[in-house]
Amino acid sequence: MPRWILGNPIGRGERRTLLHLIWLACRIAIVVAVVVVPFGYAVTAAHTDVLKSAGCGIAIGLGVGVRGGPRSGPWTGVLVGVIIGVATALIAGLSPLRGFAVLIMPILALALGLIAGLRGPSLTGYRDMTREAFIVSVLLALGFLPAWIAQGEFSSDPFSDGLVLVGSTLVLFIWNALVAGLVSHRREGWRDTRPPLLLILGWVALAILIALAVATGIFEEGRGLSGIYLVAMIAAMLVVTVTVPAAVFVLGRTVIIWLEPRLRVYGYLADYLRVMWVPMGAFAVGYLTIIVLFAGFYGTLARFQPAAFANPATGITEWLSFSFYAAVGQDFLTTAPVSVGARILVGTHLILSAGWAVVMFAAVMSSIGPRLDRIARRHAEDDD
């Protein structure tokens, strides 16, 4: 166990590890927030719903990325966090039901399915699944915390609402752990075919609580209902609370198993970009130099021949915009070359820009080609 957890002085290596974890957590949180928050506001205008989606996505993403493992890391945490955040925003924004209760069970099952798909062979029994479900429930409760604080301003008893939220989130992990284990028990490497007795007893206790909650609500709102109707409502509620987590768990596991190896390509892309970063910068500097140079030529020509351009630009900013559009072969919105000299100048600019791109590309590929080949061979060996 690291010494800083036990209160002992931190060594240089442990300080470096701690700073690496902090930087990793910051990267995951920033990327997830940048993706989820705009998506949340596009789905719903409620600030609390956006806080729910961003909080859940960041919490689960940090849990997956920071906990580490052979298949974990920043982009794995970002992927899981974005999926959780987007799903939370969709459910919170599109569901006719409001509140935290409608989010807890599907989001908990989805997060558990994503983690089960990532960790795969390391989850080999109900004990492992229960541990993961408990960790996810704690992270989910922390993710709901900002929205609960913001929503407390509009609640008559925010403390009781918070206790119900945290309690239901932490208790439902038993339900989801059993459902996830039953779905996964036929997978290769699974040790236990039968769930533990304590897990079954916890599931039965939750089923009784759900039945009592449904029965109490029916008796309060609609008196005089027949016992058969009451039993049917309780049975339907229990069936829904079993099938929905199972379906969401399988969906999350299937999605992450399909996505993870395909999105691993972006990790390979980062290696190539590190090699090409300097040549790309050199190309950008040269391209921008051509744009600035011809912006001056266009301004000078318009100064001495006012009829060379239709609707000539009035300042360097507009001439830079015209030069940029000319470099990519597009017509500018207002200014257009009219005289022969202006058209020759624009054609020369276009030829130089295209020639710069071709020449620079050939030079870069000839200089960094061997390094790219070494990276490709290393990735092929890793895949094998």
Side-chain angles (χ1 to χ4, degrees), residues 99-114:
F100 295 96
V102 71
L103 296 172
I104 294 175
M105 184 168 289
I107 298 303
L108 185 59
L110 178 61
L112 190 58
L114 295 174

Side-chain angles (χ1 to χ4, degrees), residues 3 19 36 38 57 128 135 167 187 215 224 263 272 278 290-291 296 316 338 362 374 380:
R3 292 182 296 173
L19 292 176
V36 173
D128 298 333
I135 294 173
R187 182 173 54 81
L263 295 182
Y272 291 105
V278 174
I290 294 175
I291 291 175
I316 187 60
V338 175
R374 287 195 297 269

Side-chain angles (χ1 to χ4, degrees), residues 140-232:
L140 198 61
L142 294 175
F144 281 133
L145 188 60
W148 169 69
I149 295 175
Q151 194 168 307
E153 301 177 0
F154 309 101
S155 176
S156 58
D157 192 358
F159 181 75
S160 299
D161 295 341
L163 289 179
V164 172
L165 168 63
V166 175
S168 58
T169 304
L170 296 180
V171 168
L172 282 177
F173 85 91
I174 300 175
W175 192 287
N176 282 272
L178 181 60
V179 172
L182 292 174
V183 173
S184 305
H185 77 281
R186 294 185 179 275
R187 182 173 54 81
E188 182 180 357
W190 193 264
R191 293 192 305 263
D192 308 321
T193 57
R194 296 180 180 179
L197 179 61
L198 291 177
L199 201 59
I200 295 177
L201 292 177
W203 185 86
V204 172
L206 288 175
I208 294 174
L209 290 176
I210 293 175
L212 291 176
V214 174
T216 303
I218 290 177
F219 282 135
E220 288 179 355
E221 297 177 3
R223 298 179 180 178
L225 296 177
S226 63
I228 297 177
Y229 184 78
L230 177 60
V231 172

